[in-house]
Amino acid sequence: MAQDQENFRDSIGTINEEGKRAWVFPKKPSGKFYEYRKYVSYFLLAFLFAAPFIKINGNQFLMFNVLERRFNIFGFPFWPQDFHLFVISMIIGVIFIALFTVAFGRIFCGWMCPQTIFMEMVFRRIEYWIDGDRGAQLKLDRQAWDAEKIRKRVLKWFIFFVISFLIANVFLAYLIGSDRLIRYITDGPFEHLSTIVSLLIFTGVFYFVFAWFREQVCIIACPYGRMQGVLLDNKSIVVAYDHKRGEAENGRKKWRKNEDREALGYGDCIDCFQCVNVCPTGIDIRNGTQLECVNCTACIDECDTIMEKVNLPKGLIRYASEDEITKKEKFKFTPRLKGYSAVLTILIGVLVGMLFLRNDLEANILRLPGQLYEHKEGNIISNVYTYKLVNKTTKPVEDVSFKLMSHKGTVKLVRNENFEVPAQDLAEGTLFIEINNAAVKSDKEKVKVGVYSGDELVETTLCSFMAPRSYK
């Protein structure tokens, strides 16, 4: 592949020769893929803003309450006791992204990543509306701080701050729950000063990312860009420049009307630099697959537009693998992809099985630490326990009682009455298990206790029962 410089990988497009920040002023994209991306982005934005406020069976559709270790995924509540399920869900997400990266490169970055969607479909579109396209932005950047520049900058920064504040509120709804967020808003900011301080901190972070740090998140901060270097191979479908067709024998050449480029040995690339000007990370896609490329397809649309104007075939930049360009090989389901798919299928199967086995009411009964058994009249052995019942549903579990299922004996509550486990809450207390020593086969064995709601068995659990060794 012909290249103007062999050392292009030694630096990134957003750093100049002096080592300072080189601001990127991308041309406003347009074309088929950009329109598709807009539809996908607006759908995902609507989903992102609506998800915390959607309820399924009383559960928030998505919630990630890290502080209280409570998570809702697609309406399924996960408590601290379900942390293993949450971990498996996250691993499935990582494997799923890895699978698509091996097959289609950083398609997640260009089409589904919240950073890209907010940056390209919200903040940059506002910037195009206020500052104009690439040429106007470059002119405004060099312009002195006159009334026009101050007005545009203040207006843009104010809108950016408002949107960042809105994003921070939605982000908070995912963390603490939409109901609590709405209650905090109706109570007023001064009633919850710690929350409003946190909200302003998040607002500042989002404002910093989208107003200043921008594409640097994808290039420097995001680990996914580094991960793609390990996952991609010559068979991965990425946004690629067809260097065989674009360079031919004698390389690129500016367009000249009525010139027979094929006879002169020049490729179809007319070296117009429009693919560079439209790139949101400031790279030259003609140098090959690069860390900074987020597969946003802006260069594909721009190149197709140029090819159409000069009556050359489209697709000089397109979704393709290196093997397709050099060897004309079509996409294949490689052993590597089969391996990722197999792991993903197994993990999904494990998760589904665990979800089916998971109960809405979880019971834990543990012997009280440091307490021995008590020998009562009638050869009765008594052990004291603490119990904890977690109700994962949005409805209270009423008329709760315990019954011994593995042995003949009794379960006595300290409160000596049936009770209720509130919705999405827990109930704790103390109970005694009493068994005739003749029915106990060892000095320490497992007993099975059933948890009932009225006459309905809702959960079973095992606990240890101690008895004197001499009465085996």
Side-chain angles (χ1 to χ4, degrees):
M1 185 189 306
Q3 294 176 354
D4 296 332
Q5 297 179 352
E6 293 297 330
N7 61 344
F8 74 96
R9 295 189 193 277
D10 296 339
S11 62
I12 58 178
T14 55
I15 302 295
N16 60 26
E17 295 179 356
E18 299 174 355
K20 297 181 179 180
R21 171 78 176 272
W23 284 89
V24 177
F25 297 94
K27 180 181 177 182
K28 184 177 181 180
S30 61
K32 177 180 67 176
F33 282 107
Y34 186 65
E35 291 301 314
Y36 292 157
R37 283 177 60 215
K38 282 199 294 186
Y39 298 144
V40 173
S41 298
Y42 294 150
F43 170 78
L44 292 176
L45 283 172
F47 176 82
L48 179 70
F49 280 88
F53 304 96
I54 296 174
K55 299 290 182 67
I56 296 181
N57 295 325
N59 294 315
Q60 188 169 309
F61 189 68
L62 286 176
M63 185 176 72
F64 305 93
N65 191 336
V66 179
L67 298 178
E68 298 177 5
R69 292 183 297 166
R70 289 178 56 188
F71 307 91
N72 288 352
I73 299 179
F74 304 135
F76 289 99
F78 293 87
W79 287 67
Q81 295 82 359
D82 299 317
F83 189 69
H84 59 290
L85 297 176
F86 180 74
V87 170
I88 291 177
S89 300
M90 294 299 100
I91 293 174
I92 288 173
V94 171
I95 298 295
F96 186 79
I97 292 175
L99 172 63
F100 267 77
T101 302
V102 172
F104 303 110
R106 287 180 78 172
I107 191 170
F108 172 82
C109 295
W111 290 75
M112 290 170 280
C113 176
Q115 163 69 19
T116 303
I117 291 174
F118 275 115
M119 187 70 251
E120 301 302 320
M121 295 299 172
V122 178
F123 288 89
R124 282 210 200 275
R125 287 179 67 83
I126 292 171
E127 202 163 52
Y128 292 134
W129 170 59
I130 296 174
D131 293 348
D133 208 342
R134 171 181 165 81
Q137 290 183 23
L138 287 167
K139 180 181 177 182
L140 187 66
D141 184 62
R142 295 189 294 263
Q143 187 174 318
W145 283 89
D146 54 13
E148 179 192 11
K149 185 170 182 176
I150 293 173
R151 175 176 55 82
K152 288 185 175 182
R153 287 287 187 264
V154 170
L155 176 61
K156 183 175 72 173
W157 292 340
F158 174 75
I159 295 176
F160 280 7
F161 181 83
V162 171
I163 295 175
S164 299
F165 184 73
L166 180 61
I167 297 172
N169 274 274
V170 174
F171 183 73
L172 194 62
Y174 280 100
L175 289 180
I176 67 174
S178 56
D179 292 340
R180 190 184 300 182
L181 175 67
I182 293 172
R183 187 173 75 249
Y184 285 0
I185 292 173
T186 54
D187 289 345
F190 297 106
E191 295 294 324
H192 307 279
L193 286 177
S194 60
T195 302
I196 195 66
V197 169
S198 302
L199 196 60
L200 291 174
I201 291 173
F202 281 126
T203 301
V205 170
F206 288 125
Y207 182 82
F208 168 77
V209 167
F210 295 116
W212 190 84
F213 206 47
R214 311 194 129 198
E215 69 283 339
Q216 301 288 86
V217 172
C218 306
I219 298 173
I220 298 174
C222 181
Y224 185 51
R226 272 68 180 168
M227 189 173 74
Q228 80 155 348
V230 179
L231 295 174
L232 292 182
D233 56 29
N234 289 341
K235 301 183 184 300
S236 301
I237 305 294
V238 295
V239 173
Y241 166 65
D242 189 341
H243 53 89
K244 291 287 187 181
R245 174 188 154 193
E247 308 294 321
E249 296 180 5
N250 296 326
R252 313 161 191 160
K253 188 178 186 297
K254 296 290 184 181
W255 173 257
R256 288 185 181 178
K257 193 174 182 180
N258 299 324
E259 183 179 58
D260 192 345
R261 298 174 66 88
E262 185 177 354
L264 294 173
Y266 292 110
D268 284 354
C269 179
I270 65 173
D271 210 19
C272 63
F273 278 91
Q274 293 307 304
C275 59
V276 180
N277 292 338
V278 80
C279 179
T281 57
I283 67 168
D284 190 339
I285 191 64
R286 298 173 297 177
N287 287 332
T289 301
Q290 296 156 69
L291 175 91
E292 300 95 320
C293 180
V294 295
N295 283 23
C296 70
T297 69
C299 55
I300 296 180
D301 284 332
E302 197 64 25
C303 186
D304 283 349
T305 301
I306 297 299
M307 291 294 103
E308 191 173 18
K309 289 180 179 179
V310 297
N311 295 318
L312 290 173
K314 296 179 181 181
L316 182 59
I317 302 175
R318 64 182 185 274
Y319 275 120
S321 66
E322 180 64 23
D323 282 355
E324 180 184 341
I325 292 173
T326 57
K327 303 176 184 178
K328 304 299 180 184
E329 290 184 1
K330 296 297 182 182
F331 176 77
K332 295 180 180 178
F333 200 63
T334 63
R336 194 178 178 198
L337 289 174
K338 292 177 182 177
Y340 280 114
S341 300
V343 172
L344 187 64
T345 302
I346 292 170
L347 287 174
I348 291 175
V350 170
L351 178 63
V352 170
M354 287 182 170
L355 288 174
F356 275 110
L357 294 174
R358 172 178 177 267
N359 289 327
D360 292 334
L361 183 75
E362 182 166 320
N364 285 297
I365 300 177
L366 300 172
R367 290 190 72 258
L368 197 63
Q371 295 292 321
L372 296 176
Y373 56 84
E374 181 182 357
H375 200 165
K376 293 186 174 182
E377 294 182 5
N379 203 23
I380 298 297
I381 305 299
S382 175
N383 282 215
V384 61
Y385 299 82
T386 60
Y387 66 83
K388 179 185 289 186
L389 303 179
V390 180
N391 183 3
K392 303 172 184 177
T393 69
T394 56
K395 297 180 180 179
V397 180
E398 300 175 342
D399 195 21
V400 176
S401 61
F402 298 92
K403 294 180 182 178
L404 203 57
M405 302 180 69
S406 58
H407 297 70
K408 289 184 177 180
T410 58
V411 180
K412 295 182 178 179
L413 292 172
V414 171
R415 66 176 66 185
N416 200 29
E417 61 180 8
N418 294 358
F419 59 95
E420 176 185 291
V421 185
Q424 293 186 335
D425 206 340
L426 58 86
E428 298 177 287
T430 306
L431 57 80
F432 293 90
I433 295 179
E434 298 180 350
I435 304 175
N436 191 300
N437 197 46
V440 182
K441 298 178 181 180
S442 66
D443 60 338
K444 187 176 182 180
E445 63 181 86
K446 294 291 185 181
V447 295
K448 186 176 182 181
V449 179
V451 183
Y452 288 79
S453 175
D455 296 327
E456 180 187 0
L457 177 65
V458 293
E459 173 67 312
T460 60
T461 186
L462 296 174
C463 57
S464 297
F465 186 87
M466 295 185 67
R469 184 182 295 273
S470 58
Y471 287 96
K472 289 183 179 180

